[in-house]
C-alpha cells in the first residue's frame, strides 16, 4: 500500500505514514472494503462453469429429444403404412 499524500510505501498494518504523518487506518479499511475478496472471485468462476455446463446439457438434451421424436415419428409412419 502507498500513502496517498506522500506516495511512500507503507504496510497495511501501519497506523500513520512515517513520511508525512497521515492517518492510514481509514484508508486501509476503505481499500479492504473495495477490493474483491477471493471468495467472490471463486464464486464467479463457479457460476460461469455451471452456466457453461447447463448450456451444454440443454443442447445435448434437446438433441436427444429431437432424435427420439424422429425415431417415434418414423416408427409411427411405418406402422400406419403397414396397416397397423
Amino acid at each position: 500500500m502507498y500513502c496517498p499524500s506522500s506516495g511512500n510505501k507503507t504496510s497495511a498494518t501501519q497506523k500513520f505514514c512515517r513520511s508525512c504523518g497521515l492517518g492510514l487506518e481509514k484508508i486501509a479499511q476503505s481499500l479492504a472494503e473495495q477490493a474483491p475478496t477471493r471468495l467472490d472471485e471463486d464464486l464467479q468462476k463457479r457460476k460461469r462453469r455451471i452456466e457453461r455446463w447447463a448450456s451444454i446439457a440443454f443442447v445435448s438434451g434437446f438433441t436427444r429429444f429431437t432424435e427420439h421424436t424422429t425415431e417415434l415419428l418414423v416408427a409411427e409412419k411405418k406402422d400406419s403404412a403397414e396397416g397397423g
Side-chain angles (χ1 to χ4, degrees):
M1 176 171 111
Y2 291 88
C3 172
S5 179
S6 68
N8 288 334
K9 186 170 176 117
T10 62
S11 75
T13 57
Q14 276 182 246
K15 294 184 181 199
F16 297 94
C17 175
R18 292 183 181 143
S19 177
C20 69
L22 180 70
L24 299 173
E25 286 181 311
K26 297 239 184 235
I27 295 167
Q29 181 182 3
S30 176
L31 288 173
E33 289 171 357
Q34 293 175 14
T37 63
R38 180 81 176 144
L39 179 61
D40 290 340
E41 293 170 4
D42 289 343
L43 288 174
Q44 289 297 325
K45 285 179 185 176
R46 287 178 65 192
K47 180 183 174 194
R48 284 192 298 270
R49 194 176 318 131
I50 289 169
E51 289 172 346
R52 213 174 310 134
W53 279 107
S55 64
I56 290 169
F58 173 78
V59 170
S60 66
F62 181 76
T63 303
R64 286 190 198 123
F65 172 78
T66 305
E67 290 170 351
H68 181 68
T69 305
T70 304
E71 289 171 7
L72 289 175
L73 289 173
V74 169
E76 201 176 271
K77 199 172 197 179
K78 217 183 232 185
D79 284 346
S80 67
E82 293 175 357

